[in-house]
Amino acid sequence: MTSLADIRVIDVATLFAGPSAAMMLGDFGADVIKIEHPRRGDPSRGHGAAKDGVGLWWKSLSRNKRAAAVDLSAREGQEILRRLARGADVLVENFRPGTLERWGLGPEHLMELNPRLIVARMTGFGQAGPMAGRPGFGTLAEAMSGFAAMTGEPDGPPTLPPLALADGIAGLAMSYAVMVALHARERTGRGQVVDMAIIEPILGLLGPQMTAYQALGAVPRRTGNRSSSNAPRNTYRTRDGRWLAVSTSAQTIAERVVTLVGRPDLVAQPWFATGAGRVEHVEELDEAVGSWIAERDADEVVARFEEAQAAIAPIYDVRDIAEDPQYAALNTFIELPDEELGSVTVQNVLFRLSETPGEVRWTGRRLGQDTDEVLGELGYALEEIAKLRENGVVA
């Protein structure tokens, strides 16, 4: 038994933030119906690496989803969405504010058909405010949140992440918001609207920057791989050319690290007792740790750190991840059969539940692969579906 087997989710969002939220619900059993434009499909089909012309990101992002292709700008397509909404628990959408309303599909209309429906709205800037109507993507959130301003080397430019970071964070936050709304519905019997702006969830992961700014006027600055809260914390190169990351967030770990590298005298310094104090002496600490590591091969360094119960990890690329025994023990990646590619390796569900575990049941499907099945469940006859397909409303 899976946790969300009685929940139906309609995913009419595109690209990453909204669809990733729907994916996470599907991982734990929700019946997710992915709606795409019958001719264009979801743009994420064309993002990232592809094999034999088939997008690989799509295979993971749209796993566990049934794929139906419906033109929601067409009157007949709008009626299909109304029928879907009547039997759904959640609708995830990321159209610009006003688009669904213009089609007669706004939350007030859909919730009139189904008062228990949760309408999860994911936009770049939210449903209100001077920027609400602008196109918004995760990159803009990474820029506006302060992330880019505090990321990179001190003498370098602001740095954007090479991945859909803000979208992924917003997807996680939206899946949480949907679960909160579903729980509230158990008490009230009513659905509600979730209004999420991609520019907001990432702020919560950047620490109390606004709190510190208002209280102290502090503005975060770029520190490269160093931390503004504790030291030593950096990446260090070993004698055999490998890179290792060291963290000393806990005071006891900091003491173990400097003792290991032959500088127990530093522990006795008054400034060593706090992370802020250690940051003020980061050059001395980095020199002590970095020079010790540079004189040894990576395997020896890791072994010595483990013996000292100090925190260290190698800097991995995907080749290392594929061979790592810890990921293997956690079953972090699984290989699934795929109709188009034979088989595809994807990341497994994000956590393990002892009683109602999630499962990746299938990979992202072909455009419109389940249209007939989905419309049949709504009561459409085969002749009606054929006519809709002939008119370009569905695929």
Side-chain angles (χ1 to χ4, degrees), residues 21-147:
M23 178 200 77
M24 286 178 246
L25 299 172
D27 280 352
F28 286 87
D31 175 20
V32 181
I33 300 174
K34 172 69 179 180
I35 303 296
E36 302 174 77
H37 192 280
R39 289 170 293 283
R40 297 191 296 269
D42 190 311
S44 65
R45 286 182 178 271
H47 275 250
K51 180 180 179 182
D52 300 333
V54 179
L56 297 175
W57 201 342
W58 171 262
K59 289 297 179 181
S60 181
L61 182 65
S62 284
R63 66 203 202 181
N64 292 336
K65 300 180 184 181
R66 294 194 283 166
V70 180
D71 184 354
L72 297 180
S73 67
R75 179 180 56 81
E76 299 93 333
Q78 292 159 11
E79 176 56 29
I80 291 172
L81 187 63
R82 291 188 186 95
R83 292 199 196 184
L84 282 168
R86 288 191 183 98
D89 298 281
V90 181
L91 175 80
V92 181
E93 65 96 3
N94 71 339
F95 292 101
R96 287 201 208 179
T99 301
L100 285 181
E101 286 80 357
R102 188 171 67 251
W103 292 339
L105 299 172
E108 67 278 11
H109 297 103
L110 298 179
M111 295 173 75
E112 185 176 334
L113 298 172
N114 178 4
R116 292 175 56 82
L117 182 67
I118 293 158
V119 180
R121 315 196 81 172
M122 178 79 80
T123 56
F125 305 105
Q127 297 294 314
M131 299 180 69
R134 296 188 188 180
F137 299 99
T139 297
L140 308 188
E142 290 144 13
M144 291 179 61
S145 64
F147 175 88

Side-chain angles (χ1 to χ4, degrees), residues 164-356:
L165 178 64
D167 288 296
I169 296 170
L172 281 163
M174 179 60 88
S175 64
Y176 166 60
V178 167
M179 295 308 301
V180 171
L182 287 169
H183 182 71
R185 192 180 70 176
E186 293 300 306
R187 300 196 314 275
T188 67
R190 300 188 306 276
Q192 58 185 298
V193 177
V194 179
D195 174 10
M196 182 165 292
I198 297 174
I199 60 172
E200 289 185 300
I202 188 174
L203 288 169
L205 297 192
L206 298 181
Q209 61 170 340
M210 184 58 68
T211 304
Y213 173 69
Q214 294 292 349
L216 305 171
V219 177
R221 57 187 178 85
R222 291 187 285 284
T223 59
N225 288 322
R226 289 172 170 172
S227 169
S228 60
S229 301
N230 68 84
R233 189 264 202 179
N234 212 328
T235 59
Y236 305 94
R237 196 169 192 177
T238 63
R239 182 170 59 189
D240 53 349
R242 294 169 65 185
W243 288 93
L244 304 173
V246 172
S247 174
T248 58
S249 296
Q251 179 68 23
T252 55
I253 300 296
E255 294 171 4
R256 292 170 190 167
V257 168
V258 297
T259 301
L260 171 64
V261 302
R263 293 298 307 275
D265 57 295
L266 296 176
V267 178
Q269 299 298 320
W271 51 262
F272 196 88
T274 67
R278 297 197 302 275
V279 168
E280 293 178 1
H281 294 78
V282 64
E283 297 294 343
E284 182 177 4
L285 291 167
D286 263 352
E287 170 60 25
V289 176
S291 61
W292 186 88
I293 288 177
E295 296 171 353
R296 293 162 175 82
D297 291 345
D299 289 344
E300 179 190 350
V301 173
V302 171
R304 295 282 297 277
F305 265 70
E306 289 181 352
E307 289 172 5
Q309 299 186 47
I312 195 168
I315 303 294
Y316 277 176
D317 64 22
V318 69
R319 294 168 295 185
D320 303 304
I321 296 169
E323 300 297 327
D324 184 79
Q326 182 61 35
Y327 285 123
L330 293 172
N331 199 29
T332 302
F333 299 95
I334 56 173
E335 186 174 358
L336 295 172
D338 183 84
E339 294 179 6
E340 295 177 285
L341 299 175
S343 67
V344 174
T345 298
V346 299
Q347 187 172 339
N348 209 339
V349 298
L350 294 183
F351 48 87
R352 288 156 289 280
L353 296 179
S354 61
E355 299 298 324
T356 56

